[in-house]
Amino acid sequence: MKDIIQIKNISFNYPDQERLFTNFSMNIHEGEWTAIIGQNGSGKSTLARLIDGLIVLKSGQIVVDGLTVNDENIFDIRNKIGMVFQNPEDQFVGATVEDDVAFGLENRQIPREKMQQIVENSLKQVGMWDFRDRIPANLSGGQKQRVAIAGIIALSPKIIILDEATSMLDPRGRQEILKLVDKIKHDNDLTVISITHDIDEAAGADQVIVVNKGKVVEADQPDKIFGDINKLTSIGLSAPFTSELLSALRKRGVDSPSQYLNDQRLITWIKQLISSK
Amino acid sequence: MDQTINFKQVTHTYQAGTPFAQNALSQVSVTIAGGSFTAIIGHTGSGKSTLVQHINALLKPTAGEIKVSGRTITPATTNKNLKQLRKHVGMVFQFPEKQLFEETVIKDIMFGPKNYGVSDEEARLDAKQAMGLVGLDGSLQDKSPFDLSGGQMRRVAIAGVLAMKPEILILDEPTAGLDPRGHKEIMDLAEKLHQQQGMTIILVTHQMDDVVDYASDVIVMDQGKVVKHGEPKDIFSDPEWVYDMHLDLPSAAEFACRLITAGVPLKTIPLTIDKLADAIVGVIQGGQSHE
């Protein structure tokens, strides 16, 4: 599998603050959904900004789709990456939903007719075409995040980075946005990196990278990572619901598997347990 | 002082008298018991935040009245003489850390008490006490609040409200955007204030697990009306009704419903992981009987 992003031995700290990353390395596989999890202050968001060249490395190297992140390549790299932040309001510039989505295209001097097509197509993909004349500030949190995502897919990136993009939404809004990004990922062959502390969001990823104090604690499939509740709580995260239920059953003397089971597999396992009695 | 809050036929219309007039609350009558830990739930736009903003008269009713700590707020209430009420009812907004502005943590927390006219010295004492309550280390007091982590900044903001020594504390989605540890710290703080300080806590939230874990009473809002008021077990006993309200069930209850659909004969819908585990063990020991 091709690594679309390679992070090699990077070190970084903010001025007058402790070293955040020391000889930090990791890879993101092309076409996969990678979740980067860790508590507030673990360096997750800094990592996203380093990949996009929004902040500059002290040492080491980051390669995005074959290009090293540096002054020379920075604009080509930003064309490949779309970032969705926690609060979409912070990045709205257009007076209407439609204008906002067009903003990035205007910056790239796309001809007007083509621009109109792209804007329509992008807004339709996120289900916000009917809202094209509305003022972004008057939309709900989930709708705003959809508009922000439309603005990103309009620029046809190869990689989408969700930087705690669902943390301000209610549980239902969160599910809807994740489902939407998953669909867009499939329709457009994208790589998705989601930076999150929502363990249930990470459970749906292909690869999970656990970051704590600027180090990779673990990088593996969710199944391998989510069995160990103690390890997750020791770094300030919570365990997925299914792991907690298995642990509660174990405490009651039920012989429970120690590996992670998703909802469906846990339901099947409980049914088997009951019918075998 | 009596902490009971009484809403009587309260209607609130935004942009009243214009073509954009919109009823955010329609004839709401509800009593929030003094000393309770009351959760207010309801989908986005159901009127939760509008309701709580009436409790310290940030919003005034278009019709009806609210009684809180011996004061009556009516449509005719003016902004004069509301100081005592607002000192009595502390309000923590969503993302309260956005309101931090002072050079140091201690100055930021002192700002509230000083507004109420206490001396510098007294305000400093109140601020230090509030820092202790929210679990902020004293060594942070001369730091800039903007150098702190997200969870710490939020605790500074909450300390700024607690320094005014309110008896009723309103928390509007206090854990949004925090990681699981920060989330637990804030919720445990609310519980501590409720139990040790005897504060009435009013929590606006979308997190049903928090409702079950912390609240004694639940108010459900829909389209500007209170549609249910009871204990968590009363509210969540009817999953279909909960879904009709565009709300979620607590995680354990939701999983229990899926087990029942899959044919696992659970007799009740447990609200917590421990009760769900008990129920599953019960089914295993009782065999497959449906009685």
Side-chain angles (χ1 to χ4, degrees), chain A residues 39-40 86-87 167-168 170-172 197 233-238 241 244-245 248-249 252 254 263-264 266-267 270-271 273-274 277, chain B residues 44 95 98 151 176-181 206 243 246-248 251-252 255 258-259 262 264 273-274 276-278 280-281 283-284 288:
Chain A
Q39 60 179 321
N40 292 346
Q86 186 177 43
N87 189 353
S167 68
M168 283 176 63
D170 59 35
R172 201 160 291 207
H197 39 64
T233 48
S234 73
I235 54 170
L237 296 169
S238 60
F241 175 81
E244 294 207 17
L245 181 57
L249 287 169
R252 286 161 178 76
V254 178
D263 290 10
Q264 202 46 54
L266 180 57
I267 291 171
I270 291 172
K271 281 185 72 179
L273 192 66
I274 291 167
K277 291 282 163 181
Chain B
T44 310
F95 299 96
K98 287 193 174 170
L178 293 182
D179 64 16
R181 183 176 288 168
H206 286 290
Y243 288 129
H246 301 281
L247 294 171
D248 292 296
S251 325
F255 195 77
R258 292 176 62 186
L259 281 174
V264 177
I273 286 191
D274 280 329
L276 177 59
D278 287 343
I280 292 170
V281 170
V283 174
I284 295 169
Q288 260 189 310

Side-chain angles (χ1 to χ4, degrees), chain B residues 174-286:
Chain B
T175 63
L178 293 182
D179 64 16
R181 183 176 288 168
H183 178 112
K184 192 169 180 322
E185 282 170 3
I186 297 290
M187 289 311 300
D188 286 349
L189 168 65
E191 187 171 60
K192 185 173 93 176
L193 294 169
H194 179 238
Q195 292 184 344
Q196 295 179 7
Q197 313 280 317
M199 274 185 208
T200 303
I201 306 283
I202 298 169
L203 171 74
V204 176
T205 185
H206 286 290
Q207 310 284 328
M208 300 305 147
D209 286 342
D210 287 342
V211 173
V212 169
D213 289 342
Y214 297 95
S216 55
D217 288 300
V218 188
I219 290 174
V220 186
M221 303 277 304
D222 185 46
Q223 297 182 16
K225 291 194 162 80
V226 171
V227 288
K228 226 176 204 183
H229 186 189
E231 291 176 37
K233 64 176 169 44
D234 305 327
I235 304 295
F236 295 118
S237 61
D238 182 355
E240 268 180 42
W241 181 84
V242 173
Y243 288 129
D244 281 350
M245 288 292 119
H246 301 281
L247 294 171
D248 292 296
L249 288 172
S251 325
E254 198 202 327
F255 195 77
C257 287
R258 292 176 62 186
L259 281 174
I260 292 170
T261 309
V264 177
L266 298 174
K267 290 188 196 91
T268 56
I269 295 168
L271 300 185
T272 64
I273 286 191
D274 280 329
K275 290 203 172 116
L276 177 59
D278 287 343
I280 292 170
V281 170
V283 174
I284 295 169
Q285 286 167 351

Side-chain angles (χ1 to χ4, degrees), chain B:
Chain B
M1 203 185 290
D2 183 20
Q3 297 175 20
T4 303
I5 301 155
N6 201 335
F7 280 75
K8 199 166 146 194
Q9 294 286 317
V10 173
T11 295
H12 188 93
T13 311
Y14 284 114
Q15 298 181 285
T18 75
F20 304 106
Q22 209 181 354
N23 263 6
L25 296 178
S26 310
Q27 303 191 318
V28 170
S29 294
V30 68
T31 300
I32 298 174
S36 68
F37 193 129
T38 298
I40 302 183
I41 60 176
H43 66 92
T44 310
S46 58
K48 305 184 296 287
S49 294
T50 306
L51 183 81
V52 296
Q53 286 179 46
H54 280 82
I55 300 174
N56 69 350
L58 275 179
L59 292 177
K60 281 141 206 136
T62 313
E65 60 175 49
I66 300 107
K67 281 197 175 125
V68 47
S69 61
R71 275 204 65 130
T72 304
I73 304 157
T74 68
T77 302
T78 62
N79 280 337
K80 277 185 183 167
N81 309 318
L82 287 175
K83 257 191 175 174
Q84 275 312 309
L85 174 71
R86 291 192 175 149
K87 190 169 180 300
H88 185 72
V89 182
M91 171 87 88
V92 178
F93 291 99
Q94 273 186 55
F95 299 96
E97 59 276 16
K98 287 193 174 170
Q99 299 170 30
L100 299 176
F101 70 102
E102 273 284 12
E103 287 164 7
T104 66
V105 166
I106 193 88
K107 277 191 191 168
D108 209 295
I109 302 174
M110 285 165 65
F111 179 77
K114 279 177 71 179
N115 257 337
Y116 285 104
V118 310
S119 67
D120 255 32
E121 215 173 308
E122 212 175 316
R124 187 172 292 271
L125 281 175
D126 291 345
K128 281 189 175 165
Q129 205 181 355
M131 281 182 77
L133 271 178
V134 301
L136 279 173
D137 195 84
S139 65
L140 296 175
Q141 69 169 44
D142 295 322
K143 277 205 163 189
S144 162
F146 302 101
D147 283 344
L148 305 179
S149 74
Q152 284 174 326
M153 281 168 77
R154 191 159 302 183
R155 278 187 278 161
V156 172
I158 296 176
V161 174
L162 294 178
M164 293 179 270
K165 301 182 178 165
E167 289 176 24
I168 297 170
L169 184 66
I170 301 170
L171 300 161
D172 193 350
E173 295 195 47
T175 63
L178 293 182
D179 64 16
R181 183 176 288 168
H183 178 112
K184 192 169 180 322
E185 282 170 3
I186 297 290
M187 289 311 300
D188 286 349
L189 168 65
E191 187 171 60
K192 185 173 93 176
L193 294 169
H194 179 238
Q195 292 184 344
Q196 295 179 7
Q197 313 280 317
M199 274 185 208
T200 303
I201 306 283
I202 298 169
L203 171 74
V204 176
T205 185
H206 286 290
Q207 310 284 328
M208 300 305 147
D209 286 342
D210 287 342
V211 173
V212 169
D213 289 342
Y214 297 95
S216 55
D217 288 300
V218 188
I219 290 174
V220 186
M221 303 277 304
D222 185 46
Q223 297 182 16
K225 291 194 162 80
V226 171
V227 288
K228 226 176 204 183
H229 186 189
E231 291 176 37
K233 64 176 169 44
D234 305 327
I235 304 295
F236 295 118
S237 61
D238 182 355
E240 268 180 42
W241 181 84
V242 173
Y243 288 129
D244 281 350
M245 288 292 119
H246 301 281
L247 294 171
D248 292 296
L249 288 172
S251 325
E254 198 202 327
F255 195 77
C257 287
R258 292 176 62 186
L259 281 174
I260 292 170
T261 309
V264 177
L266 298 174
K267 290 188 196 91
T268 56
I269 295 168
L271 300 185
T272 64
I273 286 191
D274 280 329
K275 290 203 172 116
L276 177 59
D278 287 343
I280 292 170
V281 170
V283 174
I284 295 169
Q285 286 167 351
Q288 260 189 310
S289 66
H290 282 257
E291 90 290 41

Side-chain angles (χ1 to χ4, degrees), chain A residues 45-253:
Chain A
S45 295
T46 303
L47 199 57
R49 286 165 172 74
L50 287 167
I51 292 170
D52 203 35
L54 288 171
I55 43 182
V56 181
L57 269 182
K58 297 276 192 296
S59 69
Q61 191 191 24
I62 297 177
V63 180
V64 177
D65 199 23
L67 295 175
T68 299
V69 178
N70 58 28
D71 286 350
E72 203 179 313
N73 293 331
I74 193 70
F75 292 104
D76 290 328
I77 286 171
R78 287 190 187 151
N79 275 336
K80 293 176 190 288
I81 302 177
M83 299 253 284
V84 187
F85 295 100
Q86 186 177 43
N87 189 353
E89 232 163 79
D90 293 344
Q91 64 195 116
F92 280 139
V93 288
T96 64
V97 163
E98 203 170 17
D99 285 355
D100 199 76
V101 175
F103 179 75
L105 297 166
E106 284 169 347
N107 279 342
R108 284 162 179 77
Q109 299 176 330
I110 309 285
R112 182 173 169 80
E113 254 172 51
K114 200 172 167 212
M115 197 186 314
Q116 283 170 328
Q117 272 171 23
I118 297 173
V119 169
E120 180 174 344
N121 175 37
S122 308
L123 280 170
K124 281 183 173 163
Q125 279 203 59
V126 301
M128 288 297 288
W129 177 240
D130 291 345
F131 293 80
R132 59 188 175 277
D133 296 328
R134 300 277 285 272
I135 302 166
N138 292 348
L139 302 174
S140 76
Q143 290 171 332
K144 283 177 191 165
Q145 216 47 301
R146 283 169 188 267
V147 174
I149 292 169
I152 282 159
I153 54 181
L155 303 174
S156 34
K158 294 185 80 169
I159 303 163
I160 288 188
I161 302 180
L162 306 173
D163 188 0
E164 297 189 14
T166 64
S167 68
M168 283 176 63
L169 304 177
D170 59 35
R172 201 160 291 207
R174 181 174 301 169
Q175 283 310 319
E176 282 171 9
I177 291 295
L178 293 177
K179 226 183 262 173
L180 173 70
V181 174
D182 197 45
K183 179 182 146 282
I184 287 169
K185 171 182 177 291
H186 282 286
D187 293 351
N188 303 279
D189 290 325
L190 300 177
T191 302
V192 173
I193 303 172
S194 80
I195 291 171
T196 181
H197 39 64
D198 178 19
I199 215 79
D200 293 306
E201 176 175 334
D206 299 304
Q207 186 193 206
V208 178
I209 296 175
V210 186
V211 178
N212 191 39
K213 295 183 180 153
K215 287 203 169 64
V216 173
V217 180
E218 246 181 323
D220 215 326
Q221 294 163 349
D223 299 25
K224 307 259 164 53
I225 288 174
F226 291 154
D228 193 344
I229 294 188
N230 294 337
K231 194 186 264 172
L232 289 168
T233 48
S234 73
I235 54 170
L237 296 169
S238 60
F241 175 81
T242 54
S243 305
E244 294 207 17
L245 181 57
L246 280 171
S247 156
L249 287 169
R250 207 170 299 127
K251 275 183 204 144
R252 286 161 178 76

